[in-house]
Amino acid sequence: MAKKPGRSTGKHAGKSAGKAAGKNGGKAAVKNDGKTAVNSARKSAPPPGPADRWETPAADVLRWVRGTDLSALDQAGTPGWAGDRADGEKLMAARGEELADLQERLFAHGRTGGDRSVLLVLQGLDTSGKGGIVRHVVGMVDPQGVMHRGFGVPTPEEQQHDYLWRIRNALPRPGYLGVFDRSHHEQVLVVRVDRLEPVRVWRKHFAELNAFEAEVAASGTVIVKVTLVVSPDEQKKRLAKRLERPDKHWKYNPSDIDVRLKLPEYLAAYQEMLDRTSTKEAPWYVVPADRKWYARLAVTELLTDALRSLDLGWPPADFDVAAEKARLAAT
Amino acid sequence: MAKKPGRSTGKHAGKSAGKAAGKNGGKAAVKNDGKTAVNSARKSAPPPGPADRWETPAADVLRWVRGTDLSALDQAGTPGWAGDRADGEKLMAARGEELADLQERLFAHGRTGGDRSVLLVLQGLDTSGKGGIVRHVVGMVDPQGVMHRGFGVPTPEEQQHDYLWRIRNALPRPGYLGVFDRSHHEQVLVVRVDRLEPVRVWRKHFAELNAFEAEVAASGTVIVKVTLVVSPDEQKKRLAKRLERPDKHWKYNPSDIDVRLKLPEYLAAYQEMLDRTSTKEAPWYVVPADRKWYARLAVTELLTDALRSLDLGWPPADFDVAAEKARLAAT
């Protein structure tokens, strides 16, 4: 699939590494190492590719700092990124190669008894671009290794359980990249704003969410939580588009306007959620989302970082390679 | 994402249709229609694109005909396709656009109360390329709308249930594209070959499988079953590669050789499975898989056909569009 640089993976890594070298310099060396020696691939740091224009690493510039004023965020900003959109799209394609390679290592790890996984949690108001992140960022890796789950209004069955029940059921198995489109955090967002529970009940959830995520992290899951923040003006444009175009009507719900009328309440709820549930085990990253290309680039970067942090080589053979070669030759 | 033609979707269909027109003629008109009028998009048949080199439609040439001799299949063949590999890859990229568009319609349909879904069942021996189909074909659509499930040796929990229990649990919800990597058909394949059940027990499964699939189809699911067939020589090469390359060791299992030593038994089992479980509701398509590009092109075509057969337009608005525009404007 020569047309899809972002989708090439370890399966054809010899080939794609060669291609990448042509357009992307440094990356190629890393991927070739992976083919010749187990666990050696990530030892030598790649020289920075020419297309990498992160002045400050995305993780550093976007990680939530308690007490920051969310209302002061420039939703059209591109924090940390010194390049333009074209630079960003180039880097994203290159990162897509690396992301797919890292995800395949994670999957291999899971298939050979490993216990690590990655969970990407996406939060954000309507039109903030959560779906676009799934399509364009998560879409760069093998769907075989992705467990995606969207959380809407709880079903009757879900309502009969604790609110974490459906969340636990959707956690990524070892080796998988889990993706939550909305999440357990709605328990301190819509539940709070729409007064679905008394204050004394939902206020307890902050501590519960943190305890839950600490437990998930301890079980081997790297948690990356992203809040996408769109400006009221940009949201208006995006909602208008959904009303304008018949192919987007299905994405529109009259309740979107109700939510829009409660933006100040949501702002307060998000502010407190960020302040109280951004932890060492499950940090929040707050991503300005008026520029879709930036939001997608940033999440690609965060996800790549998370997978790199696992430092996974290819699993060593748990069989006698020479003996198996002989067995195969004899068939 | 200009670099990834196969991943553009309705979301940017205006743009990608324009691009497609440059390289692919006919497709563009169809997609633009979809943007301007609900349900009109699929009414006018697109003029065949210049890259379409199917002499006989894939579905017609690959659909299993009871009694065909499976052992006579040319696994390196490219039945129905009059072009070469480059032609095939071009058409696959164009079909990827259409597939992503159709899948988004299906997803929209599911989100607005529709009950249709599609289930792709992949069977085939080790190295036949099931994983590559998931990565390269299913990978062309939005991961948000995909429910993928691989079926290996049943877990202890699964073993406590009827063999269809885990299958039912993994069926696609309305609006989803379900993908099974191996399936309920293993009950007449590995179970038969490895004598995990007495003959009188597994022979009953043919009728059970057909009854089950008829029920699934009646509930609104279009079932597309694909058996990928690789030649013994090609399988040997692919297994050798897995043994040669440390990044592929995790895909290798010494039992792969055991299976290879039972190829005649598997051939007989596949022959009978095809003859007895290819039904109107759930036909089998047998795809020669020595040439990966052909197998991927063929499955892309089969899947596109299945989605086209649903004839889904964009769901009409279930709200008053003008009133909502006024409400939005007032915010």
Side-chain angles (χ1 to χ4, degrees), chain A residues 3 7 9 35 38 108 135 142 236 244 246-247 250 252 254 258 260 314 319 324-325 327-329 331, chain B residues 3 7 9 35 38 108 135 142 236 244 246-247 250 252 254 258 260 314 319 324 327-329 331:
Chain A
K3 295 273 177 63
R7 298 270 324 147
T9 65
K35 306 306 139 198
V38 175
R135 187 184 301 244
D142 190 343
K236 192 169 190 171
E244 207 52 57
D247 63 310
W250 68 276
Y252 182 88
D258 304 332
R260 193 169 156 76
W314 294 107
F319 48 84
E324 291 301 318
K325 283 184 183 174
R327 283 183 73 209
L328 177 63
T331 63
Chain B
K3 295 272 177 63
R7 299 267 324 144
T9 65
K35 306 305 140 199
V38 175
R135 187 184 301 244
D142 190 343
K236 192 169 189 170
E244 206 52 57
D247 64 309
W250 68 276
Y252 182 88
D258 304 332
R260 194 170 154 77
W314 294 107
F319 49 83
E324 291 300 319
R327 284 182 73 210
L328 177 64
T331 62

